[in-house]
Amino acid sequence: MEGVTGDDAVAPGVPAVWCEDDPSQCISGAKQMIYWNQAEGNNIEVSGTDLAGDPRSPAYNAKLGFVNGTS
């Protein structure tokens, strides 16, 4: 809704976690932006391969608990 304001508090975001292989570990609600492969300040660590056999690479998708649509 464009132009609508309110006084409701916004939940603080928390770092997402890799949860492709165990959806019960997915973080629901507000998540932080992904900071990965930086010299410092990373908020996610991944290693190994995903279920397709490719190297794990964080992205804004279901593998980290992000869903399509509004949050």
Side-chain angles (χ1 to χ4, degrees):
M1 296 171 48
E2 191 172 327
V4 176
T5 61
D7 295 326
D8 292 343
V10 177
V14 295
V17 297
W18 190 274
C19 59
E20 176 189 30
D21 47 352
D22 185 358
S24 70
Q25 297 299 309
C26 289
I27 303 294
S28 62
K31 295 177 198 59
Q32 294 177 353
M33 291 178 58
I34 300 168
Y35 295 100
W36 177 65
N37 262 358
Q38 305 301 304
E40 57 187 44
N42 294 315
N43 65 357
I44 188 166
E45 297 286 331
V46 296
S47 61
T49 57
D50 62 16
L51 295 181
D54 298 318
R56 288 184 175 184
S57 178
Y60 297 98
N61 59 32
K63 294 176 183 181
L64 291 183
F66 290 92
V67 296
N68 291 331
T70 58
S71 52

